[in-house]
Amino acid sequence: MAAPRDNVTLLFKLYCLAVMTLMAAAYTIALRYTRTSDKELYFSTTAVCITEVIKLLLSVGILAKETGSLGRFKASLRENVLGSPKELLKLSVPSLVYAVQNNMAFLALSNLDAAVYQVTYQLKIPCTALCTVLMLNRTLSKLQWVSVFMLCAGVTLVQWKPAQATKVVFLQVLVASTLLLWSSIQTTS
């Protein structure tokens, strides 16, 4: 039996890559602006909490749409949420880590330049790559390894001399991130 054909076009993949890149950049700039303006500051924990509540409501809405009826919706919630507390506990660990990460992002953007923050934030990619190789016994392509090392070099240069290196290294990290995402897209298709 033949494998199912991938119906996602290259143009759509590039569109998704561009949208995700623009969203990440806009998020960082907007967050930095709101945290450093002279107006009264908001609580970062409140912003993170509201974001998570919105995600929860959207997830419940999608589940309700997929199940189709109120009875199946309730049964699905009962089975998958209330019926398996051990799984719910397992999911709470990354959720808590993600909440801490989001709160730390607010703190970092309150105290760092947006470009330095954005470049340093990209360290999550090499960490994830390393964990994937060490813990999941996966392999990375040569292009992925080159991209990981370019990211690490860029972050090192930015931290070494932030004022002089930020503009050039920001472009280097952007290229490395794009290469890494592109190679990931290619290996999944």
Side-chain angles (χ1 to χ4, degrees):
M1 181 177 205
R5 188 170 174 207
D6 188 17
N7 292 329
V8 180
T9 65
L10 177 63
L11 185 62
F12 182 72
K13 289 179 181 180
L14 290 173
Y15 168 75
C16 290
L17 180 62
V19 167
M20 288 189 297
T21 302
L22 288 174
M23 280 178 37
Y27 171 79
T28 302
I29 292 168
L31 197 64
R32 170 74 179 159
Y33 174 75
T34 61
R35 298 306 291 173
T36 57
S37 66
D38 292 336
K39 298 178 182 173
E40 189 174 333
L41 285 180
Y42 54 89
F43 290 113
S44 61
T45 51
T46 304
V48 170
C49 185
I50 289 172
T51 303
E52 296 305 315
V53 167
I54 290 170
K55 288 181 193 177
L56 176 67
L57 293 175
L58 287 172
S59 299
V60 168
I62 291 170
L63 180 63
K65 185 176 180 348
E66 284 182 359
T67 54
S69 72
L70 186 61
R72 284 189 279 183
F73 173 70
K74 286 180 181 179
S76 179
L77 281 178
R78 195 176 309 113
E79 177 186 337
N80 296 317
V81 178
L82 301 174
S84 51
K86 189 175 181 181
E87 294 300 316
L88 191 61
L89 187 62
K90 287 180 188 177
L91 287 175
S92 69
V93 173
S95 299
L96 289 172
V97 170
Y98 187 68
V100 169
Q101 175 195 353
N102 284 337
N103 281 303
M104 292 297 115
F106 276 88
L107 181 66
L109 276 168
S110 299
N111 298 302
L112 291 174
D113 181 45
V116 172
Y117 165 80
Q118 188 66 28
V119 171
T120 307
Y121 187 70
Q122 296 305 315
L123 278 177
K124 68 181 180 181
I125 295 172
C127 291
T128 303
L130 193 60
C131 289
T132 300
V133 168
L134 296 176
M135 298 171 138
L136 301 176
N137 295 325
R138 299 232 175 116
T139 58
L140 298 179
S141 69
K142 288 179 184 177
L143 180 60
Q144 288 171 325
W145 279 116
V146 168
S147 300
V148 166
F149 286 119
M150 280 179 66
L151 277 172
C152 291
V155 170
T156 302
L157 286 173
V158 165
Q159 295 304 325
W160 192 7
K161 294 188 179 184
Q164 293 110 0
T166 300
K167 292 175 186 168
V168 174
V169 176
F170 185 73
L171 291 174
Q172 178 187 7
V173 170
L174 184 63
V175 168
S177 299
T178 305
L179 280 173
L180 194 58
L181 285 170
W182 179 252
S183 64
S184 297
I185 289 171
Q186 292 301 314
T187 55
T188 57
S189 54

